[in-house]
Amino acid sequence: MTELPPPSPAVWVDVVVTTPAHSGLGDSLTYRSERSLTPGALVRVPLGTREVLGIVWALREQPPIDLDPAQTRVVGSLLDGIPALNERWRELVAFAARYYQRALGEVALSALPPALRDLPADAFARRLKKLPVLTAPPLEAGHSPPDLSPEQAQVLETLRAATQPVLLFGATGSGKTEVYLRTAEHLLSDDPHAQVLVMVPEINLTPQLEARFRDRLGAHGVVSLHSGLTPAQRLKHWLSAHLGQARIVLGTRMAIFASLPRLRLIVVDEEHDPSYKSQEGARYSARDLAVYRARLESAHAPCQVLLGSATPSLESWYAAEQGRYLRLTMPGRIGGGALPRLRLVDMNQQPRHTVIAPALLQAMAERAARGEQSLVLLNRRGYAPVLACHDCGWKSDCPHCSAHAVFHKIDRTLRCHHCGHTTRVPRACPECGNLDITPVGRGTEQIEEQLAGLLADARRPDGQPVRVARLDADTTRAKGSLESRLADVHAGEVDVLVGTQMVAKGHDFRRITLVASLNTDSGLFASDYRAPERLFALLMQAAGRAGRDAAFVAEQGSSVELWVQTWYPQHPLFAALARHDYPAFAAQQLEERAAAQMPPFGYQALVRAEARTQEAAQAWLTLASQAGDDLPGRDRLTVYPPVPMTIQRVANVERAQMLLESPSRPALQAFLAAWQPALHALRTRPETRGLIRWAIDVDPLAI
Ligand code: ADP
Ligand code: ZN
Ligand code: ZN
């Protein structure tokens, strides 16, 4: 009699993979594995006809009852040689998926570097071998630190004992970065394995910050994570963080999902910046997740979170007012320099058709003559936002969007900034043949051109003509062009820098003494209730680029100024701006928000639908609203009627949205969780034909 072989010690594992959102496959799939696996292990598993990357989420004793063991597929291979993603990381990802109403697989897998998702196990093993093996390198001593200002010293002392999230409310140029550096330094020297995550709102801020961290802490163990890296770089940096080799990770919002097994500090610089909120896929707020992540980590080992800004978000400001966050204040600038004096230019008093007030031009020319720099802010790229024919009324509309195509003179194109559609500028009006079609309004390209003309007679100290340069998405597209342009500014090669909000953020320019904002008013009267908050922050940030080097300003005997051109000089926002009084501005805004039960006093979610027709988009939203009628939390919710989005059509797709509001975050969350399956079920309804996609935006920034 032959004995049967013992049954193989198969284990059952739930693996999270990217499943199509509407597949109804649930959060994870069950596989069989011949080898024992741990939760968080990275595996390659069969899915349909492909093999994909998956994360082992849970082990099970038995297969689920509705699963035929014989049908269950087998885990393909394990990515050997790297530790599993730890429990806190998995909790963070699971929370983000739940809170922002997305599939777990989508959030978890998109948090990993794309190269990791795409590499087969053997290729991965080869790649891993090539990585330099370092075990949490000690940080080399770099440049010696400056003496702390009394404010910095005070803040650092309080910080060390803080257990709550900290809001560092520091004026522009007050030396917030030095506080981040010192805090990181302390932590890293106290604990030879500790890791620090530092987030910045824009890629273009990472090189300068990276240089500062490297200078101070040594080049070893500082890596960056952002979308500007090649897939290979991103994989390498990600791995060094995951393996504990990188001690400091600098990155944009995506870095919040980096695997950092020994995370002890998260810094969110310019925490008010809207770019921390993702605008596609899972629409997460990296700032909010930072606070959540620090709490998760703290259950394991203390992890601090430090939010820094000169103009905090009203959410964070309110949290500090309530005592949920600890507010630390640094009102003074390093070196005792003054914040810029506000000079309002009343456009009603200017000669007709003034683009740049003569007094402002004069001030820029004088500064250039003394070897100082000016910065001109205009939040619109291109030459002109639209071309028009004054005979027949034709406008350069994008054929695919409810928006104008922007005139770019440099290559004589009309480009839609929403769908990318690009055409050559027509020789004559396409409607009536009029040869005289003209640009209407102004973008950065035109301002650069006009300034060069208007300042043609002005001279630099060396007798050379004044140099005007531009910094926006168009001039910085080519790799390295941003760095080289910024280097020119730092080196004093540029006298007047024109740019979009890109120039306003974070940069530590040393010789700028004048900042000018040209088309400020659009932010004053926008329908979006957050517009004043954003405008105030932008102007304060922009102003903060001026007069950063107090010694230089004193030597020059110059005055540091923020010029704002406006048709509404009496607007109360400018009164607070003139006093640099963010607290007063915030108090006034919070009062309005409280009265209207707006965030942070109420909670919102936005449902967006895209369809072939506006009717179909709105019909789907109406059905969606009805489908939620009896769900938990509904009684504490206001559901507004569907409306077209501000830009109603993009790339031939009609867009509509519906706002949900509740005084209770748990009620809103309970409702959304119950609502999701109902929304997916609507797919089968005949009325929803023509629907292309829908998505939920929790805590939306723009409504
Ligand atoms: P913020 O981020 O608050 O706008 P930064 O951290 O960039 O300000 O600091 C402004 C400038 O002051 C930087 O050039 C920085 O190197 C310098 N700085 C910061 N702290 C000190 C200090 N204690 N002593 C001398 N210079 C300092
Ligand atoms: Zn015409
Ligand atoms: Zn378009």
Side-chain angles (χ1 to χ4, degrees):
M1 197 177 92
T2 51
E3 242 181 305
L4 285 172
S8 71
V11 290
W12 305 91
V13 287
D14 289 342
V15 177
V16 164
V17 293
T18 313
T19 47
H22 308 296
S23 64
L25 285 177
D27 276 346
S28 59
L29 302 174
T30 301
Y31 289 86
R32 204 154 53 80
S33 168
E34 245 92 80
R35 56 196 287 186
S36 70
L37 293 170
T38 55
L42 290 164
V43 289
R44 299 202 58 94
V45 291
L47 180 71
T49 56
R50 296 175 305 144
E51 198 187 56
V52 298
L53 181 67
I55 305 166
V56 175
W57 215 256
L59 313 180
R60 12 169 104 241
E61 308 261 290
Q62 280 158 5
I65 19 179
D66 57 347
L67 195 78
D68 175 358
Q71 297 287 312
T72 311
R73 304 181 77 177
V74 179
V75 171
S77 51
L78 171 72
L79 297 195
D80 271 310
I82 60 167
L85 293 156
N86 72 22
E87 192 177 351
R88 276 111 48 213
W89 186 88
R90 300 197 310 274
E91 271 184 60
L92 171 72
V93 166
F95 169 78
R98 224 171 32 243
Y99 187 83
Y100 294 105
Q101 308 294 319
R102 304 295 291 198
L104 175 59
E106 179 198 354
V107 177
L109 274 300
S110 62
L112 301 176
L116 190 63
R117 294 190 303 240
D118 305 338
L119 277 184
D122 46 348
F124 175 73
R126 283 197 300 275
R127 193 68 76 82
L128 201 57
K129 271 208 204 94
K130 278 197 274 178
L131 272 186
V133 186
L134 296 168
T135 41
L139 289 160
E140 310 146 17
H143 288 104
S144 53
D147 292 333
L148 292 174
S149 73
E151 285 180 356
Q152 286 171 327
Q154 179 66 52
V155 156
L156 279 165
E157 195 178 312
T158 321
L159 244 180
R160 212 156 312 158
T163 51
Q164 308 157 270
V166 173
L167 177 62
L168 178 58
F169 171 49
T172 50
S174 61
K176 294 186 287 296
T177 313
E178 185 60 34
V179 171
Y180 309 152
L181 275 163
R182 294 284 181 122
T183 312
E185 226 169 352
H186 278 300
L187 270 170
L188 298 183
S189 60
D190 280 0
D191 172 352
H193 297 286
Q195 293 178 300
V196 172
L197 171 62
V198 182
M199 291 198 292
V200 288
E202 299 246 338
I203 292 185
N204 68 52
L205 292 172
T206 51
Q208 202 184 13
L209 193 67
E210 205 175 329
R212 270 174 90 171
F213 272 85
R214 283 172 187 270
D215 277 354
R216 183 65 68 78
L217 303 172
H220 257 343
V222 181
V223 301
S224 59
L225 273 181
H226 52 75
S227 60
L229 300 174
T230 65
Q233 286 171 327
R234 193 153 146 203
L235 176 63
K236 192 170 141 201
H237 295 185
W238 184 88
L239 276 172
S240 68
H242 177 59
L243 297 172
Q245 297 170 357
R247 308 290 307 282
I248 298 195
V249 173
L250 299 171
T252 49
R253 68 166 177 262
M254 64 153 73
I256 190 58
F257 290 117
S259 168
L260 292 153
R262 299 273 201 146
L263 183 59
R264 296 291 176 270
L265 169 68
I266 309 176
V267 174
V268 185
D269 191 23
E270 314 289 6
E271 67 90 37
H272 63 278
D273 200 288
S275 65
Y276 283 120
K277 179 90 157 83
S278 167
Q279 293 301 332
E280 63 197 15
R283 293 169 176 246
Y284 63 89
S285 156
R287 178 195 64 222
D288 295 352
L289 287 179
V291 174
Y292 187 85
R293 185 169 189 180
R295 196 162 66 216
L296 268 181
E297 292 287 345
S298 291
H300 170 75
C303 178
Q304 276 198 325
V305 60
L306 177 53
L307 313 177
S309 177
T311 51
S313 63
L314 290 173
E315 278 78 3
S316 300
W317 189 256
Y318 181 59
E321 297 276 279
Q322 286 186 308
R324 285 185 285 127
Y325 294 177
L326 176 65
R327 179 167 53 217
L328 302 179
T329 307
M330 300 200 299
R333 292 188 121 180
I334 292 293
L339 285 164
R341 190 159 76 88
L342 177 65
R343 307 211 33 180
L344 286 175
V345 179
D346 184 349
M347 294 307 277
N348 302 288
Q349 308 289 323
Q350 302 302 312
R352 281 191 65 185
H353 307 303
T354 294
V355 178
I356 300 163
L360 173 53
L361 272 174
Q362 172 78 22
M364 287 196 265
E366 284 166 9
R367 279 177 167 72
R370 293 197 299 260
E372 298 165 28
Q373 297 169 312
S374 301
L375 189 155
V376 177
L377 178 71
L378 180 80
N379 235 344
R380 199 190 262 158
R381 63 191 172 86
Y383 191 85
V386 61
L387 281 186
C389 165
H390 294 294
D391 278 2
C392 76
W394 172 85
K395 286 205 170 77
S396 62
D397 290 331
C398 173
H400 309 297
C401 304
S402 44
H404 301 310
V406 176
F407 173 40
H408 289 255
K409 190 174 177 185
I410 216 154
D411 54 1
R412 300 210 59 84
T413 54
L414 288 171
R415 283 188 235 160
C416 174
H417 290 183
H418 300 280
C419 73
H421 182 78
T422 302
T423 51
R424 309 254 334 137
V425 169
R427 269 172 209 287
C429 171
E431 299 284 324
C432 73
N434 174 15
L435 287 173
D436 191 22
I437 47 179
T438 49
V440 181
R442 269 156 221 98
T444 45
E445 209 186 310
Q446 186 173 167
I447 293 298
E448 180 191 20
E449 182 188 275
Q450 293 191 342
L451 271 173
L454 291 165
L455 293 171
D457 297 331
R459 288 289 174 270
R460 298 158 51 94
D462 59 9
Q464 296 287 313
V466 166
R467 295 172 202 170
V468 182
R470 172 162 59 99
L471 197 76
D472 58 25
D474 296 317
T475 61
T476 55
R477 203 155 282 147
K479 206 167 169 53
S481 60
L482 174 72
E483 289 79 358
S484 72
R485 257 162 219 261
L486 284 174
D488 285 349
V489 181
H490 288 296
E493 295 291 317
V494 171
D495 306 296
V496 178
L497 180 66
V498 180
T500 52
Q501 56 177 342
M502 189 185 263
V503 299
K505 297 181 180 181
H507 303 285
D508 190 22
F509 298 127
R510 309 302 290 169
R511 300 158 73 93
I512 290 181
T513 55
L514 182 152
V515 170
S517 167
L518 297 191
N519 67 339
T520 319
D521 292 343
S522 54
L524 290 176
F525 301 104
S527 61
D528 184 349
Y529 71 95
R530 288 184 199 266
E533 180 185 357
R534 268 201 300 271
L535 178 62
F536 193 86
L538 179 64
L539 292 174
M540 288 278 280
Q541 283 296 321
R545 296 320 103 205
R548 294 177 73 82
D549 190 338
F552 174 72
V553 174
E555 203 175 292
Q556 294 286 109
S558 197
S559 72
V560 183
E561 292 171 345
L562 168 66
W563 290 62
V564 172
Q565 297 196 158
T566 176
W567 295 86
Y568 306 92
Q570 304 308 322
H571 197 285
L573 186 143
F574 295 130
L577 186 67
R579 298 192 311 267
H580 308 287
D581 194 350
Y582 175 78
F585 172 77
Q588 176 270 327
Q589 286 287 309
L590 284 174
E591 204 173 296
E592 279 181 24
R593 300 270 186 99
Q597 284 292 296
M598 296 281 205
F601 302 92
Y603 301 89
Q604 298 178 327
L606 205 55
V607 196
R608 297 203 174 89
E610 300 185 357
R612 307 251 171 260
T613 63
Q614 183 62 218
E615 294 70 41
Q618 294 198 21
W620 186 86
L621 290 171
T622 305
L623 280 178
S625 168
Q626 289 159 1
D629 274 348
D630 303 315
L631 296 180
R634 178 66 183 84
D635 53 332
R636 303 209 56 197
L637 219 63
T638 308
V639 179
Y640 290 89
V643 290
M645 285 180 61
T646 316
I647 296 176
Q648 184 176 325
R649 187 169 51 101
V650 169
N652 293 322
V653 170
E654 287 285 337
R655 316 182 313 158
Q657 66 183 31
M658 183 167 80
L659 179 65
L660 280 59
E661 230 169 47
S662 174
S664 155
R665 180 176 259 163
L668 179 60
Q669 279 287 321
F671 176 82
L672 293 174
W675 201 28
Q676 278 269 0
L679 294 182
H680 286 296
L682 288 179
R683 284 247 134 198
T684 55
R685 296 277 290 264
E687 303 95 304
T688 67
R689 282 228 324 267
L691 179 79
I692 298 167
R693 64 181 86 84
W694 57 272
I696 298 179
D697 186 351
V698 181
D699 305 332
L701 275 194
I703 58 173

